[in-house]
Amino acid sequence: MRSDVIKKGLSRAPHRSLLKAIGYTDEEISRPLIAIAHAQNEIIPGHVHLDKIVEAVKTGIRLAGGTPVAFSTIAVCDGIAMNHLGMHYSLASREVIADSVEIMLMAHAFDGIVAVPNCDKVTPGMLMAMLRVNVPGVLVSGGPMLTGRFRGKDVHLVSVFEGVGRVQAGTMSLEALTELEDAACPGCGSCAGMFTANSMNCLAEAVGLALPGNGTIPAVSAARLRLAKHAGMAVMGLVHENICPRDIATRQAFENAMAVDMALGCSTNTVLHVPAIAREAGVDLPLAVFNEVSGQVPHLCSLIPGGPHSMQQLNEAGGVPAVMKELLNTEAGLHQDVMTVTGKTLRENLQGVEVLDHDIIRSVEDAYHKVGGIAVLYGNLAPDGCVVKQSAVAAEMLVHKGPARVFDSEAAAQEVILDGGIRAGDVVVIRYCGPKGGPGMPEMLSPTSAIVGMGLGKSVALITDGRFSGGTQGACLGHVSPEAAEGGPIALVAEGDRIVIDIPNKTISLEVEDEELDARRAAWRPPAPRITTGYAARYAKQVTSGATGAVLKE
């Protein structure tokens, strides 16, 4: 066992003494030591209940003959961090999470790991650590929140963000917004809908590093606790068979996950996280691969925020396994011989699986769209690409041309939007919000939700070198690369310039002559950093482009 280095032999008597100080018996010390890396805390709804998930994982590990050892790491709630200084620390937290889990696994020589995250950066951060250290491991999330009910309709966190715009537009009262605020988030779990957290928890399942059901079983369901116990048992099987994360997360497995991404219409943040996770597995996933997969995989599920269906309904329809079973009917199919944390191949896992509700998971022949949920656009405004959730864009906005309304910060844009200064046809440009310029590539849920709430969702586009929440809908193009802080073309856009967006043809263009752009480039100077001390300042100096997953430089 890997943990023998800290517990066997004469020279390890001091090590054993320290373990016994905690209360471990000789019998417990002799068994495989399994880390449980969790992010339970009392500030994030998706994490407040993870102590119960951890206890269930411990039960599973003990049932299978191991000794569980839990430790915690940090987590950021993107919703609470939104639209203020805190958002600069959200994406940046992914690297701290990965590093902290790596440190704990390496320092204490664990034989395996069960990762217990639930929210946006925590799931990818823990997956990165699992692949980096490469000891047998399973991820089990805390599960999605149920939707709330407001005046006979399903609601969720983004409903409240959009409500702010509705109040400003005069179509909702403050009293109604307060009622909505009380109802939208009814309890624990990652925010209801195919937002980033649930997207990544589904893709962890699709890549094979989490058990079937991980992405969709509700947080409050007893089935979630049973899944956590099975995760504890599963990691022991992986330890005995010496099946490690890199044996599972191969190029073929990532292609399967990307296919599920397209079929579900996941968050655009997956285009940041999946390449970053793959990099830890030694797998190169250039941005262009997303377009290749999107061209082969239809969009099968219309989930919140782009559609009406909830995570609970997706679970009842068969969840990710049912989506994968339906994807076998596409021309490209899936790689079925890949290994998974069940100890079986995907082919074996899908035996007997079927779609239980074709209204929720459509057949390939009856897909919502013939192409996948995400598109990468290129052009003189984004030479290295930008990303849009095309499944959440209204048909009339798939091709759009309009004047640029240019802002050098999210706060400046939000003020003008809420003051009614944006008109139908405009293209809102928010720049200096990339990984370096933000720093931390802040999400733009507040301005995008305000645009929708004010009735402009089908007539206004928004582009940024920052990123969007998984809750964003509409013609919102993020991750514009190179970013403004690096002198990318988005830094050269002037108020009133015409911008042409053509999502079907994967292009985004700035209608300005090259000579004029050259003159603007010669006059351009980078702005002073927004944050000059602490972790965010160090992060800004080390981070790479959004086009490469915003990973840190070697």
Side-chain angles (χ1 to χ4, degrees), residues 21 109 111 131 169 187 211 222 246 255 263 333 419 435 499 511 527:
D111 297 299
L131 285 159
L211 293 174
R246 291 185 203 168
E255 289 177 358
D419 284 346
I499 294 175
E511 290 192 331

Side-chain angles (χ1 to χ4, degrees), residues 402-407 425-429 463 493-499 510:
R405 305 296 310 281
V406 183
F407 304 93
D426 287 349
V427 179
V428 177
V429 178
I463 68 173
V493 181
E495 186 82 6
D497 285 349
R498 306 293 289 183
I499 294 175
L510 178 64

Side-chain angles (χ1 to χ4, degrees), residues 242-516:
N242 195 31
I243 298 173
C244 295
R246 291 185 203 168
D247 299 323
I248 293 168
T250 61
R251 171 63 183 250
Q252 291 74 26
F254 279 108
E255 289 177 358
N256 287 347
M258 293 166 77
V260 171
D261 189 347
M262 299 304 166
L264 290 175
C266 289
S267 163
T268 53
N269 280 318
T270 61
V271 181
L272 279 177
H273 297 317
V274 172
I277 295 164
R279 177 174 176 263
E280 300 289 355
V283 175
D284 184 31
L285 287 181
L287 207 57
V289 177
F290 284 86
N291 275 347
E292 294 173 14
V293 176
S294 181
Q296 299 173 332
V297 178
H299 176 219
L300 302 181
C301 302
S302 186
L303 301 163
I304 296 168
H309 300 139
S310 68
M311 296 301 298
Q312 183 178 1
Q313 289 174 300
L314 177 60
N315 186 64
E316 292 166 355
V320 171
V323 172
M324 298 185 85
K325 187 65 175 280
E326 184 60 35
L327 288 176
L328 298 182
N329 297 322
T330 61
E331 185 175 341
L334 294 173
H335 303 287
Q336 295 186 65
D337 294 324
V338 294
M339 180 55 64
T340 72
V341 291
T342 65
K344 300 177 182 178
T345 65
L346 177 63
R347 186 187 307 277
E348 293 172 301
N349 288 348
L350 294 182
Q351 292 296 316
V353 171
E354 60 181 292
V355 176
L356 302 177
D357 188 337
H358 278 289
D359 288 334
I360 308 299
I361 304 172
R362 287 195 176 184
S363 67
V364 169
E365 294 76 21
D366 188 36
Y368 285 97
H369 303 98
K370 292 182 180 179
V371 294
I374 290 175
V376 181
L377 279 59
Y378 296 90
N380 69 338
L381 189 53
D384 294 340
C386 64
V387 182
V388 61
K389 188 173 182 176
Q390 60 184 349
S391 60
V393 178
E396 54 265 50
M397 290 296 292
L398 291 172
V399 178
H400 180 76
K401 180 177 180 179
R405 305 296 310 281
V406 183
F407 304 93
D408 288 348
S409 71
E410 179 188 1
Q414 180 77 345
E415 182 179 354
V416 172
I417 293 167
L418 291 177
D419 284 346
I422 300 300
R423 301 286 183 263
D426 287 349
V427 179
V428 177
V429 178
I430 306 179
R431 62 191 180 190
Y432 297 107
C433 294
K436 178 182 290 293
M441 213 175 181
E443 288 186 343
M444 302 292 165
L445 182 57
S446 292
T448 60
S449 297
I451 286 170
V452 172
M454 297 181 76
L456 297 170
K458 295 183 179 180
S459 60
V460 169
L462 190 153
I463 68 173
T464 180
D465 51 5
R467 60 194 177 91
F468 296 113
S469 163
T472 293
Q473 58 177 309
C476 300
L477 294 81
H479 311 193
V480 172
S481 300
E483 63 173 290
E486 295 279 21
I490 191 173
L492 310 179
V493 181
E495 186 82 6
D497 285 349
R498 306 293 289 183
I499 294 175
V500 182
I501 298 165
D502 188 340
I503 294 173
N505 288 308
K506 311 291 190 294
T507 61
I508 180 168
S509 303
L510 178 64
E511 290 192 331
V512 176
E513 295 295 330
D514 290 344
E515 293 79 5
E516 173 62 20

Side-chain angles (χ1 to χ4, degrees), residues 71-74 95-105:
F71 64 85
S72 63
T73 185
I74 65 165
E95 314 309 314
V96 175
I97 292 161
D99 291 349
S100 65
V101 175
E102 174 197 359
I103 288 168
M104 291 295 286
L105 293 178

